[in-house]
Amino acid sequence: MSAHDIQRKWQKYWAENETFLAGGADDNRPRKYVLAMFPYPSGDLHMGHAENYLYSDVVARFWRHRGHNVLNPIGWDSFGLPAENAAIRRGADPREWTYQNIDQQKAAFKSYGVSFDWSRVLHTSDPEYYRWNQWLFLKMYERGLAYRKKSPVNWCPNDQTVLANEQVVDGRCERCGAEVVKKKLTQWYFKITDYADRLLDDLNQLEGFWPHKVLQMQRNWIGRSVGADVDFRIEGRDEPVTVFTTRPDTLHGATFFVVAPDSDLAAELSAGASGEVQQRFQTYLEQVQKTSEIDRQSTDRPKTGVFLERYAVNPVNGERMPIWAADYVLADYGHGAVMAVPAHDQRDLDFARAFDLPVKIVVDTTAPITGTIPVIETDDEGVAVATLDEQHPAQTGIALNGDGRMINSGVLDGLTKRTAIARQIENLEKDGVGRAAKNYRLRDWLISRQRFWGTPIPMLHTETGDVVPVAESALPVRLPSVEGLDLSPKGSSPLGAAESWVRTVDPTTGEPVLRDADTMDTFVDSSWYYLRFLSPNSDTVAFDPEEARRWAPIDAYIGGVEHAILHLLYARFITKVLFDMGLVEFTEPFSSLINQGMVILNGNKMSKSKGNLVLFQEELEQFGADALRVGMAFAGPVEDDKDWADVSMTGAQKFLSRALRVAADVDSPAGAGFDGGDAALRRVTHHLLAEAPGLVEHTKFNVLVARLMELVNAARKTIDTGAGASDPAVREAAETVAMMLDLIAPHTAEEMWEQLGHEPSVGLVVWPQADPALLVEDSVTCAVQVGGKVRATIDVPAKISEADLEALARGDERVQRALEGKEIVRVIVRAPKIVNFAVRG
Ligand code: ANZ
């Protein structure tokens, strides 16, 4: 039978017997929920898919072999821009295009032999699914976690759509590469910032279970800063202005004040200035609006700004501070205004030097911060290192941001940074002009999209301008037919033009209303899909909390590092909200996370434009599923990038034929037991039985393949030159190969298992325990060194005495040759592995 015949045979068997459906509530085995990040149906499957869904399949199959009830479902993340853009390009209905692709991808996964539970398939673009997105939105709204605000948003002029911060990469649209600009729109937001502390703090419990790099990326993304809010009186203004600072200790050194040019405050302050200043400010503002956020934060760009002819008053010493508008201060961070301390902050210093503003040192960074004895620091020649005066930032251009002792700061003088910060906050609080504060880089989650192919936002706009939710009982708000709608991007949702859809009546009041025409960010869809797999067909609940108690959280989540921030952060956020609603009993959705590396070709990323795309379906047709899976698993460690040019598919095919042939050659009855079989071969088998679980749990799938190759070779050797095909150890080896090869090459494994006289499916057979008696090694390899160089390796009994070992080593011919003409100074013996002759001459 050809590999393709074997493949078809077993795929048919699995489908007919529903071999890999998860067991129900009455299944008493321990449970494991294994999930691969679900795919976009945006075209052909590529090698990244071959990798991702192989790895999750290996893990799922592994837990079945360990006696677990495994849930390994699959669905499609089928709303969103890729489908819509492709549909626009091809003039097709996004719906038809999407479902066609899904069908193709489904067929490909089936012919890849992935052990999915096919009874739970979901598509986020089905009304049965997105209805629950809308339900989630209403729950968020009820809890005050969904709100609308007008704010500057990232706008992609090419896709004509709003982008989340995360979709802006280096100032450009993540999808099309166009330069992103700012635009003010009224949008729906989810209030993820309310959960910032929990999202940050709970990362600690994932340490060791998620890649450290991903945890760090999440921490940086949330970006918590701790410090103080300080209120400054502004001359000619009733209300004070608050700034956020991480260094309230340096307040005495604040010599000027900076506001973000694109903030409301800057507009207001400049309006009170002279006509000339207003003019200059306007010109500057226009220039700033064309500057990307990245450039604004760049340190090597010359500082720019406009003096607004207004003054703030320093609350600790009453000094007047000129107010400037400058683009290095961002409108949407902190309060959009800063107290500038040029002596101790590099950005402020660069600005002060550019505009000749005073620089006042308030921390003596040359003063020792421990002990009470003053230490004069000296360089190698004993010359005292620069004094504070010599280090003056106004001259050196380098801000003093280290620790030291406070000076020029009244009651704070002599204190170190940490104490001074605490004392300053106390003082500010006492005087009612400041308080301890935290600030986050994390922004609220903008979920509105002006696109057709997404979940309609279930809100209604009344004639009086109110915004009211659609009643839960009226869900789903279905997408209208695309017919007659122009999907090309224009800055407002195409749904707005679907007259008969947009104009409706509020069932509760009977009043005419307009539907909200925006659709949701697809990250909403993927933020909770893992729960929908638990009750995929329910039309009464999004998911059954009882099922969630059984299966969730996810034991192993497998996917690409490109989702390290957004998707994972949003799923974590929504999980915490569901926890607060009492619907789930856990606060983190993914107990462990596996990120696979990329599949590359000849050192390069594969891409259509480079013309070096290896297509999943083509490889599948040419080599068959099992060879492709073996090639992939053997290509390298899970988390590493794998160069497909280095993968030998014929090598993989040969290995599979060898394994099949061993099973076919076995010439002993099934079920007869293995006692008395060839001891050496049995030891190889049992070593693998002992080692394999650890290899899989540590995702060393490539090592597992290598071990299986060794076992197949060992069995072949016994058949051909040893005890022969009727030896029970050969059967034991072949059965073990079948049971373990099932993780990587399941069709071949089933075929072997059947050859060996067993009933299918090998996929459900629990691996036997290793026999400890067979794990004891009775001979080991000893390295003999002469003068530090290994001159011979000898096989010795594992329990050899040191004296015997030394005698054996001295007796070895190669060792004797190496010792010729040399004097042995010392012999070091570490039985049974090393003998080392230290020599002279
Ligand atoms: C005075 C000061 C003195 C500061 C000093 C730092 C050092 P992180 O750590 O990133 O949170 N800042 C506050 N709001 C800002 C805004 N909207 N745009 C640009 N910069 C802003 O940074 C907090 C510090 O960044 C704050 O502390 C403030 O400068 C500045 F020796 O205040 B600091």
Side-chain angles (χ1 to χ4, degrees), residues 548-574:
R549 195 165 305 134
R550 276 189 204 114
W551 287 107
I554 293 189
D555 296 286
Y557 197 36
I558 299 125
V561 75
E562 68 274 15
H563 290 301
I565 298 178
L566 291 193
H567 162 57
L568 294 175
L569 190 67
Y570 294 149
R572 296 180 59 228
F573 164 48
I574 295 299

Side-chain angles (χ1 to χ4, degrees), residues 4 7 43-47 49-50 100-112 614-625 628:
H4 283 94
Q7 201 171 303
D44 284 330
L45 291 172
H46 51 71
M47 296 308 279
H49 293 105
Q100 231 164 37
N101 278 335
I102 290 177
D103 285 345
Q104 254 175 38
Q105 295 192 348
K106 262 183 207 167
F109 286 148
K110 284 187 178 164
S111 46
Y112 196 40
V614 176
L615 287 182
F616 177 74
Q617 260 125 326
E618 285 173 10
E619 298 287 290
L620 202 55
E621 271 156 40
Q622 191 177 348
F623 301 105
L628 179 51

Side-chain angles (χ1 to χ4, degrees), residues 11 14 20 57 61 108-115 625 629 746-747:
Q11 283 164 13
W14 296 329
F20 303 116
D57 195 41
R61 287 176 179 274
F109 286 148
K110 284 187 178 164
S111 46
Y112 196 40
V114 187
S115 65
R629 294 173 58 125
H747 312 88

Side-chain angles (χ1 to χ4, degrees), residues 225 244-247 328-330 333 338-339 344-345 347:
S225 295
F244 172 73
T245 176
T246 48
R247 295 291 305 274
Y328 76 97
V329 173
L330 305 175
Y333 187 74
V338 308
M339 64 179 218
H344 304 289
D345 181 279
R347 298 159 297 179

Side-chain angles (χ1 to χ4, degrees), residues 495-806:
L495 289 175
E499 281 288 323
S500 60
W501 181 86
V502 159
R503 292 186 188 286
T504 183
V505 169
D506 182 350
T508 25
T509 61
E511 306 247 322
V513 286
L514 292 182
R515 290 192 187 283
D516 200 296
D518 283 357
T519 52
M520 292 182 208
D521 179 7
T522 55
F523 277 120
V524 176
D525 315 5
S526 54
S527 67
W528 68 280
Y529 79 112
Y530 74 96
L531 289 165
R532 184 64 182 172
F533 281 128
L534 307 180
S535 338
N537 303 314
S538 173
D539 57 6
T540 51
V541 285
F543 63 92
D544 178 354
E546 197 54 47
E547 289 288 311
R549 195 165 305 134
R550 276 189 204 114
W551 287 107
I554 293 189
D555 296 286
Y557 197 36
I558 299 125
V561 75
E562 68 274 15
H563 290 301
I565 298 178
L566 291 193
H567 162 57
L568 294 175
L569 190 67
Y570 294 149
R572 296 180 59 228
F573 164 48
I574 295 299
T575 299
K576 289 176 198 303
V577 174
L578 294 170
F579 172 85
D580 291 349
M581 289 168 65
L583 294 178
V584 299
E585 291 176 351
F586 50 91
T587 53
E588 284 293 332
F590 312 120
S591 304
S592 89
L593 176 71
I594 300 170
N595 281 145
Q596 80 267 11
M598 263 191 316
V599 187
I600 58 176
L601 193 67
N602 291 316
N604 294 310
K605 218 176 147 165
M606 291 188 196
S607 75
K608 255 188 206 158
S609 57
K610 284 206 198 94
N612 66 348
L613 214 57
V614 176
L615 287 182
F616 177 74
Q617 260 125 326
E618 285 173 10
E619 298 287 290
L620 202 55
E621 271 156 40
Q622 191 177 348
F623 301 105
D626 282 355
L628 179 51
R629 294 173 58 125
V630 168
M632 186 63 82
F634 197 45
V638 164
E639 60 286 350
D640 285 12
D641 289 349
K642 289 150 203 83
D643 199 322
W644 202 243
D646 298 341
V647 172
S648 164
M649 293 301 286
T650 46
Q653 287 175 315
K654 275 190 197 144
F655 160 59
L656 292 171
S657 324
R658 263 203 315 277
L660 272 172
R661 228 171 322 118
V662 163
D665 285 354
V666 167
D667 186 18
S668 61
F674 311 116
D675 284 349
D678 178 70
L681 180 56
R682 292 205 71 196
R683 265 198 297 278
V684 180
T685 300
H686 282 260
H687 271 289
L688 185 52
L689 283 171
E691 189 189 11
L695 289 178
V696 182
E697 284 186 57
H698 294 102
T699 65
K700 298 197 164 121
F701 307 155
N702 56 331
V703 180
L704 179 68
V705 175
R707 294 283 184 275
L708 286 169
M709 290 175 171
E710 284 163 17
L711 184 53
V712 167
N713 289 345
R716 171 52 53 200
K717 200 167 139 198
T718 305
I719 296 171
D720 291 348
T721 62
S726 60
D727 189 284
V730 172
R731 163 169 286 280
E732 185 180 34
E735 291 191 353
T736 303
V737 169
M739 282 185 273
M740 291 188 178
L741 190 59
D742 176 63
L743 304 193
I744 318 284
H747 312 88
T748 307
E750 292 280 21
E751 190 64 22
M752 288 175 73
W753 195 242
E754 193 182 57
Q755 282 268 0
L756 290 163
H758 295 294
E759 293 287 314
S761 157
V762 71
L764 302 179
V765 176
V766 175
W767 286 352
Q769 293 283 332
D771 178 350
L774 289 165
L775 297 178
V776 183
E777 297 206 33
D778 56 3
S779 100
V780 289
T781 306
C782 172
V784 186
Q785 303 182 345
V786 177
K789 279 207 187 80
V790 176
R791 294 298 183 179
T793 56
I794 46 179
D795 281 345
V796 300
K799 298 212 169 79
I800 194 166
S801 73
E802 306 217 321
D804 288 351
L805 185 59
E806 184 178 334

